[in-house]
Amino acid sequence: MPSVNLRIKVVPNSKRPGVAVSGAQVIVRVGAPPIEGKANIEVCEILADTLKLPKTAIQIKKGEKSKYKLVLISGIDEPKLFAILSRQEFGKSKS
């Protein structure tokens, strides 16, 4: 099964949760605060929903207590991942 390691920046307490690419940076905005792992749970949910994958396909490998994280995404290859992410803007898809 293909998998991709993805570096992301997380912005907690956001009014407009979602995923977007800004330059070379993938940014995930979450509504949850960075308390007791709530933001990390929402990161996995948002990525899974955006990529149409089960939540179990998303794992935070590094940075659980940092706004910069390394996420392992299983079940998708790199070209497809970036094709999906390139169509995203916060809160909605550009398709």
Side-chain angles (χ1 to χ4, degrees), residues 5 7 22 46 59 71 83 87-88 91 95:
N5 282 308
R7 293 192 185 281
S22 177
I46 288 173
Q59 295 177 8
V71 180
R87 294 190 304 263
Q88 298 301 306
S95 43

Side-chain angles (χ1 to χ4, degrees), residues 69-83:
K69 302 183 185 305
L70 179 64
V71 180
L72 175 65
I73 303 172
S74 301
I76 194 167
D77 59 22
E78 196 168 322
K80 185 173 180 182
L81 171 72
F82 286 105

Side-chain angles (χ1 to χ4, degrees), residues 51-81:
L51 300 171
K52 311 259 187 287
L53 294 170
K55 287 184 237 175
T56 56
I58 314 295
Q59 295 177 8
I60 297 174
K61 301 303 275 182
K62 288 185 182 177
E64 287 193 4
K65 295 185 183 216
S66 170
K67 65 181 177 180
Y68 296 100
K69 302 183 185 305
L70 179 64
V71 180
L72 175 65
I73 303 172
S74 301
I76 194 167
D77 59 22
E78 196 168 322
K80 185 173 180 182
L81 171 72

Side-chain angles (χ1 to χ4, degrees), residues 13-59:
N13 297 315
S14 178
K15 293 180 182 173
R16 293 180 16 188
V19 180
V21 177
S22 177
Q25 180 79 58
V26 177
I27 301 169
V28 180
R29 291 187 178 179
V30 297
I35 299 171
E36 299 173 359
K38 292 177 183 178
N40 289 339
I41 291 168
E42 193 172 336
V43 164
C44 294
E45 290 171 349
I46 288 173
L47 285 173
D49 185 53
T50 299
L51 300 171
K52 311 259 187 287
L53 294 170
K55 287 184 237 175
T56 56
I58 314 295
Q59 295 177 8

